[in-house]
Amino acid sequence: MKNLIMALILSMTAVSAMTQVTLLQPTQRGNFVIGSRIGFSTAKSSVDVQSTTGSIKGDGGSSAQFNLSPGIGYFFAQNFVVGISMDWLKTNSSTGVDLNGGTLAPQKSENNNVLFGPFVRYFFPTGEDKAFFLGTTVGFGNSKNQFVSNNTTQTINNSLLTIGVGPGFTIYSKNGLALEALVKYNFARSNSEINVQDVNRISKTWTNAVDFSVGIQYYFGGFKAALK
């Protein structure tokens, strides 16, 4: 995580040295924006498990999530930006229903995911140095985990899809930097496939969450040679 934050800071510093920092209007057509947000959320889930030995539906447990979301976008039209972003998610969770059909107590776990996907925002300026915006994001990711059961290595394949939408508010400075706050509703769907002792099990989990995040963005109007 520290390396990711340092890389983002260095990227913004390099862009600052190569770009025109004085903007008459940060969200005008042809401008770029680069930056990142840090957020936190809690969530409840439901689960539906289908296997050759039966099905289980019920409480999918609860989770608390920390996320870091760097990205870069381009204003294709006045106040309208489209870009690409990365989400690093660190999740602490507690299971709900016993997925093996038993009565085991909830288990705690921790995992990390990296997602990539597009984002879209439309800004509603309320003055020369501030604006409301409405945005949406889509993230895709895959992961593979292995564990040993009865001296046999088992593999779990996971796929994750997230969709988020929500309003935000940003305040600009004259040098192109901006501070923003965002409230976002997130829907996530994860699919997991595992084979244990010749029993194939597919697990689908749906998660609904609302998170609050803050971030720093840098708006610039084009590239030019760095000053010597």
Side-chain angles (χ1 to χ4, degrees):
M1 176 182 170
K2 291 182 179 179
N3 291 335
L4 186 60
I5 295 175
M6 183 59 68
L8 178 64
I9 294 174
L10 291 176
S11 297
M12 292 180 68
T13 301
V15 171
S16 299
M18 296 174 60
T19 60
Q20 301 171 0
V21 298
T22 302
L23 299 177
L24 295 177
Q25 187 175 359
T27 60
Q28 68 185 8
R29 180 181 177 182
N31 285 353
F32 292 85
V33 59
I34 185 173
S36 183
R37 303 187 316 275
I38 296 177
F40 177 80
S41 67
T42 59
K44 293 284 291 183
S45 303
S46 60
V47 67
D48 181 359
V49 178
Q50 304 292 331
S51 73
T52 56
T53 59
S55 62
I56 301 171
K57 293 183 179 181
D59 178 19
S62 60
S63 65
Q65 185 179 91
F66 171 83
N67 65 283
L68 180 67
S69 306
I72 184 170
Y74 176 75
F75 284 87
F76 285 90
Q78 189 80 5
N79 300 322
F80 179 73
V81 63
V82 177
I84 187 78
S85 65
M86 183 196 81
D87 283 314
W88 177 77
L89 310 174
K90 179 180 177 64
T91 305
N92 294 302
S93 60
S94 176
T95 61
V97 64
D98 184 354
L99 297 181
N100 293 314
T103 58
L104 292 177
Q107 303 294 310
K108 295 182 178 180
S109 64
E110 178 180 302
N111 61 73
N112 297 275
N113 289 288
V114 177
L115 306 174
F116 292 90
F119 72 87
V120 176
R121 281 186 180 182
Y122 189 84
F123 290 79
F124 302 89
T126 58
E128 293 184 357
D129 60 350
K130 51 187 174 293
F132 286 99
F133 62 84
L134 181 64
T136 184
T137 60
V138 179
F140 305 90
N142 291 279
S143 64
K144 180 179 292 187
N145 301 323
Q146 290 185 333
F147 68 96
V148 178
S149 176
N150 297 325
N151 297 320
T152 302
T153 300
Q154 308 290 346
T155 299
I156 303 177
N157 296 306
N158 304 293
S159 62
L160 184 64
L161 165 68
T162 64
I163 301 174
V165 60
F169 184 74
T170 185
I171 300 175
Y172 312 105
S173 65
K174 293 182 179 180
N175 63 1
L177 289 175
L179 178 65
E180 70 176 33
L182 172 66
V183 178
K184 187 172 61 172
Y185 163 76
N186 289 305
F187 167 81
R189 185 193 69 189
S190 62
N191 296 334
S192 301
E193 183 175 350
I194 181 174
N195 186 288
V196 179
Q197 297 178 350
D198 296 325
V199 176
N200 189 60
R201 188 176 68 198
I202 298 175
S203 175
K204 296 181 180 181
T205 302
W206 295 268
T207 303
N208 296 279
V210 175
D211 70 50
F212 174 77
S213 61
V214 295
I216 295 178
Q217 306 290 334
Y218 179 69
Y219 294 77
F220 55 97
F223 292 97
K224 68 178 183 179
L227 298 177
K228 297 182 179 180

